[in-house]
C-alpha cells in the first residue's frame, strides 16, 4: 500500500467540541503527526455525544476512507458512547473484551485504586476488536477492521490520544505502508515573509519534495516533505539546498528553537549576557531562560520601563532621556552600555520601542524599536520598524534581539545584526 494511496479521516466526538466549550486540538495534532511521516489527512468531522450521529459518521467515513482515526467517548461516563455507536454502525454485538478488562484492572491495581462499575464498562467493545493499550490512562483504545477499512478508536484526552497515536496507530500504518513512509524537514526562518520564502525555495527543490508552511509568529516554518523509497536521502539534499539559498535567515531547524540555538551558541562561545528590556518587558529573558542550561551564560536582565529606571539602574543621562527620548538610538546605546558596565558581562543587549497601540508619533510611529548590543568590540544600535498589534510588535522585537545575538555569536562578533 503506497502512502499516497491511503486515505485517512479523523472523527472527533464530544458535545464540548461542537458547543464551543472546548477547541478540538486532537485533529490538528493527528494531522501534524501524520504529516511528519508523509501521510496526509483527507478529511475531518466532529460530532456530539449522540449514539446515532456517531454511528452514522463512522459508517460514512469508513465507506469513503481507508483509515478512520476516532478520538473521544471511550471513558467510563454515560456520555461516552463511541464503543456502542461502533457496534451499532457495523452490526456487531457489544461484548465484554477480556483483554481490555485485564488492562483496566492492571491500571487500577498498579495505582492502588478501586474500580467502579463505570470503569468496567470501558471493556464493553464491539466484537472482534483488537485492543490498543493506553500507556498513560485507563481506557484502552481499539482497532476495528470493517470491509478492509481500519478504524482506530482512541481516548479524547489529548495526552492519552497522542501517546496511543505514537505507540499503536502510526507503527501500524507504517508497517502497512511497506517501510519508510517518508518524512519532513522543518526550517525556521526569521525576517523573510512566507511568499518570499516560497519564491526563493521553489526553484531549489529536488523533484519529489513538496513545500508546506507552518505558522509560529514571527517565524516562518518551511516544511520540506517527501514520501516513499529514498525519501530520507531526497530530504537531506533538499534541506542542504534550502539552507544554501536561504542563508542565515534560517534561525533553527527541526525541533530546535531560535532561543535554544542562541543558548547553544553562548555556551559554545563561553560568553556571558545581560539584558536591559523596556518594550519587551522581560520577554527576551523569558525566552532564553525557558531553555535549560541558560544559567551558564545569562547573568541578569532588567526591565527598565520608566525613564527613572533607565536612569537609576542603567545610568542613562537625563539629557538623552529629555532631548532624544526613551525610544532613541542614543537611549538604546546608553542602556546596553550601562547594563554591560553594571553586570560585567561580555555582551549586553538592550531594547526600547513603542509597542502600541498608543504612544506613536509621525517621526516614531508605533512599531519603532531600537535594539543595541554592547560587546567588547564596541556598542552598536539599530532601528527597526515593525507593524501589527502590541503583542506582535513585542514578539517580533524579542525575536529580532535573539536573532541579533545568534548572528553575532555565529560570526564571532563581526556581524552587526540583520537588515
Ligand atoms: P475519559 O476517560 O477522560 O472520559 P474519553 O475517551 O471518554 O476519555 P472524552 O470524554 O471524549 O474522552 O474527552 C475527555 C476530555 O478530553 C474532554 O473533557 C476534553 O477535555 C478532552 N478532549 C476530548 N476530545 C478532544 C479534542 N478533539 N480536542 C481536544 N480535547 C479533547
Ligand atoms: Mg469521557
Amino acid at each position: 500500500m503506497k502512502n499516497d494511496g491511503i486515505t485517512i479521516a479523523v472523527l472527533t466526538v464530544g458535545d464540548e467540541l461542537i458547543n464551543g466549550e472546548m477547541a478540538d486540538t486532537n485533529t490538528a495534532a493527528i494531522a501534524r503527526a501524520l504529516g511528519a511521516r508523509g501521510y496526509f489527512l483527507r478529511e475531518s468531522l466532529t460530532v456530539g455525544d449522540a449514539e446515532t450521529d456517531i454511528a452514522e459518521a463512522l459508517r460514512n467515513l469508513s465507506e469513503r476512507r481507508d483509515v478512520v482515526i476516532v478520538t473521544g467517548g471511550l471513558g467510563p461516563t454515560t456520555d461516552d458512547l463511541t464503543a456502542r455507536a461502533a457496534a451499532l454502525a457495523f452490526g456487531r454485538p457489544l461484548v465484554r473484551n477480556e483483554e481490555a478488562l485485564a488492562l483496566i484492572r492492571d491500571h487500577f491495581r498498579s495505582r492502588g485504586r478501586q474500580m467502579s462499575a463505570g470503569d468496567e464498562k470501558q471493556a464493553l467493545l464491539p466484537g472482534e476488536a483488537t485492543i490498543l493499550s493506553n500507556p498513560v490512562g485507563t481506557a484502552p483504545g481499539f482497532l476495528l477492521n470493517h470491509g478492509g477499512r481500519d478504524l482506530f478508536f482512541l481516548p479524547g484526552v489529548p495526552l492519552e490520544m497522542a501517546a496511543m497515536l505514537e505507540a499503536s496507530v502510526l507503527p501500524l500504518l507504517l508497517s502497512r505502508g511497506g517501510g519508510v513512509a517518508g518524512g519532513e524537514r522543518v526550517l525556521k526562518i526569521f525576517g523573510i515573509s512566507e511568499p518570499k520564502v516560497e519564491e526563493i525555495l521553489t526553484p531549489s527543490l529536488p523533484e519529489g519534495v513538496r513545500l508546506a508552511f507552518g505558522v509560529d509568529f514571527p517565524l516562518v516554518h518551511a516544511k520540506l516533505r517527501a514520501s516513499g523509497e529514498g525519501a530520507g536521502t531526497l530530504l537531506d539534499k533538499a534541506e542542504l539546498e534550502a539552507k544554501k539559498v536561504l542563508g542565515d535567515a534560517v534561525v533553527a531547524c527541526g525541533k530546535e528553537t531560535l532561543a535554544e540555538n542562541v543558548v547553544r551558541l553562548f555556551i559554545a562561545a563561553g560568553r556571558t549576557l545581560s539584558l536591559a528590556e523596556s518594550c519587551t518587558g522581560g520577554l527576551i529573558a523569558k525566552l532564553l531562560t525557558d531553555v535549560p542550561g541558560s544559567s551558564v551564560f545569562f547573568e541578569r536582565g532588567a526591565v527598565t520601563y520608566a525613564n527613572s529606571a533607565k536612569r537609576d539602574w542603567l545610568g542613562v543621562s537625563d539629557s538623552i532621556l529629555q532631548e532624544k527620548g526613551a525610544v532613541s538610538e542614543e537611549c538604546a546605546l546608553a542602556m546596553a552600555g550601562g547594563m554591560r558596565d553594571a553586570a560585567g558581562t561580555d555582551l549586553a543587549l538592550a531594547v526600547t520601542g513603542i509597542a502600541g497601540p498608543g504612544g506613536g508619533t509621525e517621526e516614531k510611529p508605533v512599531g519603532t524599536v531600537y535594539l543595541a548590543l554592547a560587546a567588547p568590540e564596541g556598542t552598536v544600535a539599530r532601528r527597526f520598524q515593525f507593524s501589527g498589534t502590541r503583542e506582535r510588535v513585542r514578539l517580533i522585537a524579542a525575536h529580532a534581539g535573539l536573532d541579533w545575538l545568534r548572528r553575532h555569536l555565529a560570526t564571532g562578533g563581526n556581524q552587526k545584526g540583520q537588515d
Side-chain angles (χ1 to χ4, degrees), residues 207-240:
E207 184 136 348
V209 176
R210 294 179 301 275
L211 176 63
F213 285 99
V215 203
D216 178 23
F217 186 84
L219 303 181
V220 169
H221 286 196
K223 301 174 176 188
L224 307 173
R225 290 173 174 164
S227 50
E229 292 277 319
T233 327
L234 198 59
L235 285 172
D236 285 344
K237 189 172 159 221
E239 188 176 355
L240 213 66

PDB file of all heavy atoms in Angstrom, residues 207-240:
ATOM      1  N   GLU A 207      13.023  17.224  -7.371  1.00  0.00           N
ATOM      2  CA  GLU A 207      11.738  16.601  -7.740  1.00  0.00           C
ATOM      3  C   GLU A 207      11.309  15.609  -6.650  1.00  0.00           C
ATOM      4  O   GLU A 207      12.135  14.877  -6.115  1.00  0.00           O
ATOM      5  CB  GLU A 207      11.899  15.860  -9.060  1.00  0.00           C
ATOM      6  CG  GLU A 207      10.616  15.271  -9.553  1.00  0.00           C
ATOM      7  CD  GLU A 207      10.427  15.508 -11.056  1.00  0.00           C
ATOM      8  OE1 GLU A 207      11.189  16.325 -11.637  1.00  0.00           O
ATOM      9  OE2 GLU A 207       9.564  14.883 -11.620  1.00  0.00           O
ATOM     10  N   GLY A 208      10.027  15.629  -6.328  1.00  0.00           N
ATOM     11  CA  GLY A 208       9.523  14.695  -5.323  1.00  0.00           C
ATOM     12  C   GLY A 208       9.458  15.292  -3.928  1.00  0.00           C
ATOM     13  O   GLY A 208       8.962  14.672  -3.001  1.00  0.00           O
ATOM     14  N   VAL A 209       9.982  16.525  -3.777  1.00  0.00           N
ATOM     15  CA  VAL A 209       9.904  17.179  -2.470  1.00  0.00           C
ATOM     16  C   VAL A 209       8.841  18.275  -2.534  1.00  0.00           C
ATOM     17  O   VAL A 209       8.853  19.110  -3.425  1.00  0.00           O
ATOM     18  CB  VAL A 209      11.270  17.795  -2.067  1.00  0.00           C
ATOM     19  CG1 VAL A 209      11.155  18.563  -0.759  1.00  0.00           C
ATOM     20  CG2 VAL A 209      12.313  16.702  -1.943  1.00  0.00           C
ATOM     21  N   ARG A 210       7.918  18.202  -1.587  1.00  0.00           N
ATOM     22  CA  ARG A 210       6.855  19.204  -1.534  1.00  0.00           C
ATOM     23  C   ARG A 210       7.170  20.219  -0.445  1.00  0.00           C
ATOM     24  O   ARG A 210       7.822  19.906   0.544  1.00  0.00           O
ATOM     25  CB  ARG A 210       5.506  18.539  -1.215  1.00  0.00           C
ATOM     26  CG  ARG A 210       5.004  17.610  -2.308  1.00  0.00           C
ATOM     27  CD  ARG A 210       3.684  16.974  -1.895  1.00  0.00           C
ATOM     28  NE  ARG A 210       3.795  16.202  -0.663  1.00  0.00           N
ATOM     29  CZ  ARG A 210       4.196  14.936  -0.612  1.00  0.00           C
ATOM     30  NH1 ARG A 210       4.514  14.294  -1.717  1.00  0.00           N
ATOM     31  NH2 ARG A 210       4.286  14.309   0.552  1.00  0.00           N
ATOM     32  N   LEU A 211       6.667  21.436  -0.651  1.00  0.00           N
ATOM     33  CA  LEU A 211       6.890  22.507   0.325  1.00  0.00           C
ATOM     34  C   LEU A 211       5.569  22.852   0.996  1.00  0.00           C
ATOM     35  O   LEU A 211       4.555  23.031   0.322  1.00  0.00           O
ATOM     36  CB  LEU A 211       7.452  23.729  -0.416  1.00  0.00           C
ATOM     37  CG  LEU A 211       7.670  25.001   0.397  1.00  0.00           C
ATOM     38  CD1 LEU A 211       8.695  24.793   1.493  1.00  0.00           C
ATOM     39  CD2 LEU A 211       8.112  26.146  -0.522  1.00  0.00           C
ATOM     40  N   ALA A 212       5.578  22.906   2.328  1.00  0.00           N
ATOM     41  CA  ALA A 212       4.383  23.335   3.056  1.00  0.00           C
ATOM     42  C   ALA A 212       4.829  24.350   4.096  1.00  0.00           C
ATOM     43  O   ALA A 212       6.011  24.444   4.415  1.00  0.00           O
ATOM     44  CB  ALA A 212       3.718  22.138   3.722  1.00  0.00           C
ATOM     45  N   PHE A 213       3.873  25.111   4.607  1.00  0.00           N
ATOM     46  CA  PHE A 213       4.232  26.143   5.575  1.00  0.00           C
ATOM     47  C   PHE A 213       3.506  25.958   6.897  1.00  0.00           C
ATOM     48  O   PHE A 213       2.377  25.482   6.937  1.00  0.00           O
ATOM     49  CB  PHE A 213       3.916  27.533   5.014  1.00  0.00           C
ATOM     50  CG  PHE A 213       4.902  27.958   3.971  1.00  0.00           C
ATOM     51  CD1 PHE A 213       4.603  27.821   2.623  1.00  0.00           C
ATOM     52  CD2 PHE A 213       6.138  28.460   4.332  1.00  0.00           C
ATOM     53  CE1 PHE A 213       5.525  28.191   1.658  1.00  0.00           C
ATOM     54  CE2 PHE A 213       7.064  28.831   3.375  1.00  0.00           C
ATOM     55  CZ  PHE A 213       6.761  28.693   2.034  1.00  0.00           C
ATOM     56  N   GLY A 214       4.176  26.328   7.963  1.00  0.00           N
ATOM     57  CA  GLY A 214       3.565  26.319   9.288  1.00  0.00           C
ATOM     58  C   GLY A 214       3.696  27.703   9.890  1.00  0.00           C
ATOM     59  O   GLY A 214       4.556  28.487   9.492  1.00  0.00           O
ATOM     60  N   VAL A 215       2.840  28.013  10.826  1.00  0.00           N
ATOM     61  CA  VAL A 215       2.851  29.337  11.434  1.00  0.00           C
ATOM     62  C   VAL A 215       3.396  29.260  12.851  1.00  0.00           C
ATOM     63  O   VAL A 215       2.964  28.425  13.637  1.00  0.00           O
ATOM     64  CB  VAL A 215       1.418  29.901  11.542  1.00  0.00           C
ATOM     65  CG1 VAL A 215       1.464  31.418  11.631  1.00  0.00           C
ATOM     66  CG2 VAL A 215       0.547  29.418  10.413  1.00  0.00           C
ATOM     67  N   ASP A 216       4.328  30.120  13.167  1.00  0.00           N
ATOM     68  CA  ASP A 216       4.841  30.235  14.521  1.00  0.00           C
ATOM     69  C   ASP A 216       5.368  31.658  14.635  1.00  0.00           C
ATOM     70  O   ASP A 216       6.567  31.874  14.699  1.00  0.00           O
ATOM     71  CB  ASP A 216       5.954  29.188  14.739  1.00  0.00           C
ATOM     72  CG  ASP A 216       6.571  29.280  16.118  1.00  0.00           C
ATOM     73  OD1 ASP A 216       5.912  29.803  17.022  1.00  0.00           O
ATOM     74  OD2 ASP A 216       7.718  28.830  16.284  1.00  0.00           O
ATOM     75  N   PHE A 217       4.420  32.616  14.587  1.00  0.00           N
ATOM     76  CA  PHE A 217       4.805  34.010  14.500  1.00  0.00           C
ATOM     77  C   PHE A 217       5.878  34.374  15.527  1.00  0.00           C
ATOM     78  O   PHE A 217       5.758  33.986  16.675  1.00  0.00           O
ATOM     79  CB  PHE A 217       3.574  34.916  14.704  1.00  0.00           C
ATOM     80  CG  PHE A 217       3.871  36.362  14.497  1.00  0.00           C
ATOM     81  CD1 PHE A 217       3.850  36.901  13.226  1.00  0.00           C
ATOM     82  CD2 PHE A 217       4.229  37.168  15.567  1.00  0.00           C
ATOM     83  CE1 PHE A 217       4.176  38.227  13.021  1.00  0.00           C
ATOM     84  CE2 PHE A 217       4.567  38.504  15.365  1.00  0.00           C
ATOM     85  CZ  PHE A 217       4.536  39.030  14.097  1.00  0.00           C
ATOM     86  N   PRO A 218       6.895  35.103  15.157  1.00  0.00           N
ATOM     87  CA  PRO A 218       7.151  35.748  13.878  1.00  0.00           C
ATOM     88  C   PRO A 218       8.018  34.896  12.937  1.00  0.00           C
ATOM     89  O   PRO A 218       8.561  35.419  11.975  1.00  0.00           O
ATOM     90  CB  PRO A 218       7.910  37.007  14.285  1.00  0.00           C
ATOM     91  CG  PRO A 218       8.694  36.565  15.480  1.00  0.00           C
ATOM     92  CD  PRO A 218       7.873  35.511  16.183  1.00  0.00           C
ATOM     93  N   LEU A 219       8.131  33.620  13.247  1.00  0.00           N
ATOM     94  CA  LEU A 219       8.942  32.773  12.375  1.00  0.00           C
ATOM     95  C   LEU A 219       8.086  32.148  11.286  1.00  0.00           C
ATOM     96  O   LEU A 219       6.905  31.892  11.489  1.00  0.00           O
ATOM     97  CB  LEU A 219       9.613  31.654  13.185  1.00  0.00           C
ATOM     98  CG  LEU A 219      10.498  32.093  14.355  1.00  0.00           C
ATOM     99  CD1 LEU A 219      11.107  30.871  15.035  1.00  0.00           C
ATOM    100  CD2 LEU A 219      11.592  33.034  13.879  1.00  0.00           C
ATOM    101  N   VAL A 220       8.684  31.921  10.149  1.00  0.00           N
ATOM    102  CA  VAL A 220       8.043  31.150   9.094  1.00  0.00           C
ATOM    103  C   VAL A 220       8.640  29.744   9.155  1.00  0.00           C
ATOM    104  O   VAL A 220       9.855  29.596   9.172  1.00  0.00           O
ATOM    105  CB  VAL A 220       8.317  31.782   7.706  1.00  0.00           C
ATOM    106  CG1 VAL A 220       7.898  30.855   6.574  1.00  0.00           C
ATOM    107  CG2 VAL A 220       7.598  33.124   7.590  1.00  0.00           C
ATOM    108  N   HIS A 221       7.792  28.748   9.242  1.00  0.00           N
ATOM    109  CA  HIS A 221       8.278  27.364   9.203  1.00  0.00           C
ATOM    110  C   HIS A 221       8.095  26.821   7.794  1.00  0.00           C
ATOM    111  O   HIS A 221       6.968  26.693   7.328  1.00  0.00           O
ATOM    112  CB  HIS A 221       7.490  26.470  10.168  1.00  0.00           C
ATOM    113  CG  HIS A 221       7.833  26.705  11.602  1.00  0.00           C
ATOM    114  ND1 HIS A 221       7.500  25.836  12.597  1.00  0.00           N
ATOM    115  CD2 HIS A 221       8.500  27.721  12.196  1.00  0.00           C
ATOM    116  CE1 HIS A 221       7.933  26.299  13.757  1.00  0.00           C
ATOM    117  NE2 HIS A 221       8.538  27.450  13.539  1.00  0.00           N
ATOM    118  N   ALA A 222       9.198  26.528   7.140  1.00  0.00           N
ATOM    119  CA  ALA A 222       9.114  25.904   5.820  1.00  0.00           C
ATOM    120  C   ALA A 222       9.298  24.405   6.023  1.00  0.00           C
ATOM    121  O   ALA A 222      10.279  23.969   6.632  1.00  0.00           O
ATOM    122  CB  ALA A 222      10.191  26.456   4.900  1.00  0.00           C
ATOM    123  N   LYS A 223       8.324  23.628   5.553  1.00  0.00           N
ATOM    124  CA  LYS A 223       8.380  22.178   5.755  1.00  0.00           C
ATOM    125  C   LYS A 223       8.632  21.492   4.421  1.00  0.00           C
ATOM    126  O   LYS A 223       7.872  21.665   3.476  1.00  0.00           O
ATOM    127  CB  LYS A 223       7.060  21.686   6.340  1.00  0.00           C
ATOM    128  CG  LYS A 223       6.755  22.343   7.658  1.00  0.00           C
ATOM    129  CD  LYS A 223       5.388  21.969   8.154  1.00  0.00           C
ATOM    130  CE  LYS A 223       5.181  22.587   9.529  1.00  0.00           C
ATOM    131  NZ  LYS A 223       3.958  22.108  10.149  1.00  0.00           N
ATOM    132  N   LEU A 224       9.713  20.753   4.384  1.00  0.00           N
ATOM    133  CA  LEU A 224      10.043  20.009   3.171  1.00  0.00           C
ATOM    134  C   LEU A 224       9.558  18.588   3.384  1.00  0.00           C
ATOM    135  O   LEU A 224       9.911  17.954   4.379  1.00  0.00           O
ATOM    136  CB  LEU A 224      11.555  20.023   2.943  1.00  0.00           C
ATOM    137  CG  LEU A 224      12.200  21.410   2.938  1.00  0.00           C
ATOM    138  CD1 LEU A 224      13.716  21.296   2.869  1.00  0.00           C
ATOM    139  CD2 LEU A 224      11.680  22.233   1.772  1.00  0.00           C
ATOM    140  N   ARG A 225       8.746  18.099   2.466  1.00  0.00           N
ATOM    141  CA  ARG A 225       8.169  16.772   2.668  1.00  0.00           C
ATOM    142  C   ARG A 225       8.389  15.883   1.457  1.00  0.00           C
ATOM    143  O   ARG A 225       8.338  16.338   0.319  1.00  0.00           O
ATOM    144  CB  ARG A 225       6.657  16.874   2.892  1.00  0.00           C
ATOM    145  CG  ARG A 225       6.311  17.481   4.214  1.00  0.00           C
ATOM    146  CD  ARG A 225       4.836  17.719   4.311  1.00  0.00           C
ATOM    147  NE  ARG A 225       4.477  18.173   5.647  1.00  0.00           N
ATOM    148  CZ  ARG A 225       3.318  18.754   5.932  1.00  0.00           C
ATOM    149  NH1 ARG A 225       2.418  18.950   4.985  1.00  0.00           N
ATOM    150  NH2 ARG A 225       3.064  19.136   7.169  1.00  0.00           N
ATOM    151  N   ALA A 226       8.629  14.609   1.758  1.00  0.00           N
ATOM    152  CA  ALA A 226       8.753  13.627   0.686  1.00  0.00           C
ATOM    153  C   ALA A 226       8.251  12.307   1.214  1.00  0.00           C
ATOM    154  O   ALA A 226       8.224  12.083   2.427  1.00  0.00           O
ATOM    155  CB  ALA A 226      10.202  13.503   0.235  1.00  0.00           C
ATOM    156  N   SER A 227       7.821  11.432   0.331  1.00  0.00           N
ATOM    157  CA  SER A 227       7.374  10.124   0.800  1.00  0.00           C
ATOM    158  C   SER A 227       7.891   9.025  -0.122  1.00  0.00           C
ATOM    159  O   SER A 227       8.373   9.293  -1.212  1.00  0.00           O
ATOM    160  CB  SER A 227       5.845  10.091   0.881  1.00  0.00           C
ATOM    161  OG  SER A 227       5.283  10.552  -0.299  1.00  0.00           O
ATOM    162  N   GLY A 228       7.803   7.820   0.375  1.00  0.00           N
ATOM    163  CA  GLY A 228       8.211   6.656  -0.415  1.00  0.00           C
ATOM    164  C   GLY A 228       9.691   6.322  -0.273  1.00  0.00           C
ATOM    165  O   GLY A 228      10.398   6.916   0.535  1.00  0.00           O
ATOM    166  N   GLU A 229      10.125   5.376  -1.080  1.00  0.00           N
ATOM    167  CA  GLU A 229      11.530   4.925  -1.073  1.00  0.00           C
ATOM    168  C   GLU A 229      12.474   6.107  -1.285  1.00  0.00           C
ATOM    169  O   GLU A 229      12.210   6.975  -2.102  1.00  0.00           O
ATOM    170  CB  GLU A 229      11.772   3.953  -2.240  1.00  0.00           C
ATOM    171  CG  GLU A 229      11.083   2.614  -2.136  1.00  0.00           C
ATOM    172  CD  GLU A 229      11.841   1.621  -1.282  1.00  0.00           C
ATOM    173  OE1 GLU A 229      13.079   1.583  -1.397  1.00  0.00           O
ATOM    174  OE2 GLU A 229      11.179   0.903  -0.513  1.00  0.00           O
ATOM    175  N   GLY A 230      13.559   6.127  -0.559  1.00  0.00           N
ATOM    176  CA  GLY A 230      14.588   7.139  -0.787  1.00  0.00           C
ATOM    177  C   GLY A 230      14.209   8.522  -0.295  1.00  0.00           C
ATOM    178  O   GLY A 230      14.904   9.505  -0.595  1.00  0.00           O
ATOM    179  N   ALA A 231      13.129   8.619   0.463  1.00  0.00           N
ATOM    180  CA  ALA A 231      12.680   9.944   0.921  1.00  0.00           C
ATOM    181  C   ALA A 231      13.734  10.615   1.794  1.00  0.00           C
ATOM    182  O   ALA A 231      13.953  11.830   1.693  1.00  0.00           O
ATOM    183  CB  ALA A 231      11.360   9.810   1.673  1.00  0.00           C
ATOM    184  N   GLY A 232      14.403   9.819   2.644  1.00  0.00           N
ATOM    185  CA  GLY A 232      15.389  10.383   3.562  1.00  0.00           C
ATOM    186  C   GLY A 232      16.524  11.077   2.818  1.00  0.00           C
ATOM    187  O   GLY A 232      16.885  12.218   3.128  1.00  0.00           O
ATOM    188  N   THR A 233      17.078  10.408   1.814  1.00  0.00           N
ATOM    189  CA  THR A 233      18.190  10.973   1.038  1.00  0.00           C
ATOM    190  C   THR A 233      17.737  12.223   0.285  1.00  0.00           C
ATOM    191  O   THR A 233      18.455  13.226   0.220  1.00  0.00           O
ATOM    192  CB  THR A 233      18.689   9.940  -0.007  1.00  0.00           C
ATOM    193  OG1 THR A 233      18.519   8.646   0.551  1.00  0.00           O
ATOM    194  CG2 THR A 233      20.101  10.183  -0.401  1.00  0.00           C
ATOM    195  N   LEU A 234      16.538  12.120  -0.270  1.00  0.00           N
ATOM    196  CA  LEU A 234      15.987  13.241  -1.030  1.00  0.00           C
ATOM    197  C   LEU A 234      15.828  14.461  -0.125  1.00  0.00           C
ATOM    198  O   LEU A 234      16.163  15.592  -0.498  1.00  0.00           O
ATOM    199  CB  LEU A 234      14.617  12.808  -1.584  1.00  0.00           C
ATOM    200  CG  LEU A 234      14.042  13.618  -2.729  1.00  0.00           C
ATOM    201  CD1 LEU A 234      14.980  13.599  -3.922  1.00  0.00           C
ATOM    202  CD2 LEU A 234      12.678  13.053  -3.128  1.00  0.00           C
ATOM    203  N   LEU A 235      15.356  14.222   1.084  1.00  0.00           N
ATOM    204  CA  LEU A 235      15.145  15.332   2.024  1.00  0.00           C
ATOM    205  C   LEU A 235      16.468  15.914   2.515  1.00  0.00           C
ATOM    206  O   LEU A 235      16.580  17.118   2.719  1.00  0.00           O
ATOM    207  CB  LEU A 235      14.281  14.867   3.201  1.00  0.00           C
ATOM    208  CG  LEU A 235      12.796  14.695   2.858  1.00  0.00           C
ATOM    209  CD1 LEU A 235      12.043  14.046   4.000  1.00  0.00           C
ATOM    210  CD2 LEU A 235      12.163  16.033   2.497  1.00  0.00           C
ATOM    211  N   ASP A 236      17.482  15.046   2.697  1.00  0.00           N
ATOM    212  CA  ASP A 236      18.811  15.549   3.075  1.00  0.00           C
ATOM    213  C   ASP A 236      19.296  16.555   2.040  1.00  0.00           C
ATOM    214  O   ASP A 236      19.785  17.639   2.365  1.00  0.00           O
ATOM    215  CB  ASP A 236      19.831  14.392   3.126  1.00  0.00           C
ATOM    216  CG  ASP A 236      19.647  13.537   4.371  1.00  0.00           C
ATOM    217  OD1 ASP A 236      18.970  14.012   5.305  1.00  0.00           O
ATOM    218  OD2 ASP A 236      20.163  12.401   4.401  1.00  0.00           O
ATOM    219  N   LYS A 237      19.114  16.175   0.777  1.00  0.00           N
ATOM    220  CA  LYS A 237      19.574  17.007  -0.325  1.00  0.00           C
ATOM    221  C   LYS A 237      18.769  18.320  -0.358  1.00  0.00           C
ATOM    222  O   LYS A 237      19.333  19.408  -0.499  1.00  0.00           O
ATOM    223  CB  LYS A 237      19.376  16.229  -1.635  1.00  0.00           C
ATOM    224  CG  LYS A 237      19.994  16.866  -2.830  1.00  0.00           C
ATOM    225  CD  LYS A 237      19.923  15.929  -4.042  1.00  0.00           C
ATOM    226  CE  LYS A 237      20.068  16.740  -5.306  1.00  0.00           C
ATOM    227  NZ  LYS A 237      19.196  16.337  -6.377  1.00  0.00           N
ATOM    228  N   ALA A 238      17.456  18.176  -0.203  1.00  0.00           N
ATOM    229  CA  ALA A 238      16.583  19.351  -0.254  1.00  0.00           C
ATOM    230  C   ALA A 238      16.921  20.325   0.876  1.00  0.00           C
ATOM    231  O   ALA A 238      16.962  21.542   0.682  1.00  0.00           O
ATOM    232  CB  ALA A 238      15.126  18.915  -0.159  1.00  0.00           C
ATOM    233  N   GLU A 239      17.200  19.774   2.057  1.00  0.00           N
ATOM    234  CA  GLU A 239      17.489  20.625   3.213  1.00  0.00           C
ATOM    235  C   GLU A 239      18.790  21.404   2.999  1.00  0.00           C
ATOM    236  O   GLU A 239      18.876  22.597   3.293  1.00  0.00           O
ATOM    237  CB  GLU A 239      17.568  19.766   4.484  1.00  0.00           C
ATOM    238  CG  GLU A 239      17.660  20.594   5.740  1.00  0.00           C
ATOM    239  CD  GLU A 239      17.654  19.770   7.022  1.00  0.00           C
ATOM    240  OE1 GLU A 239      17.480  18.535   6.949  1.00  0.00           O
ATOM    241  OE2 GLU A 239      17.831  20.370   8.079  1.00  0.00           O
ATOM    242  N   LEU A 240      19.763  20.714   2.466  1.00  0.00           N
ATOM    243  CA  LEU A 240      21.054  21.341   2.206  1.00  0.00           C
ATOM    244  C   LEU A 240      20.911  22.501   1.219  1.00  0.00           C
ATOM    245  O   LEU A 240      21.437  23.601   1.432  1.00  0.00           O
ATOM    246  CB  LEU A 240      22.003  20.270   1.638  1.00  0.00           C
ATOM    247  CG  LEU A 240      23.463  20.396   1.980  1.00  0.00           C
ATOM    248  CD1 LEU A 240      23.679  20.190   3.472  1.00  0.00           C
ATOM    249  CD2 LEU A 240      24.291  19.372   1.178  1.00  0.00           C
TER     250      LEU A 240
END
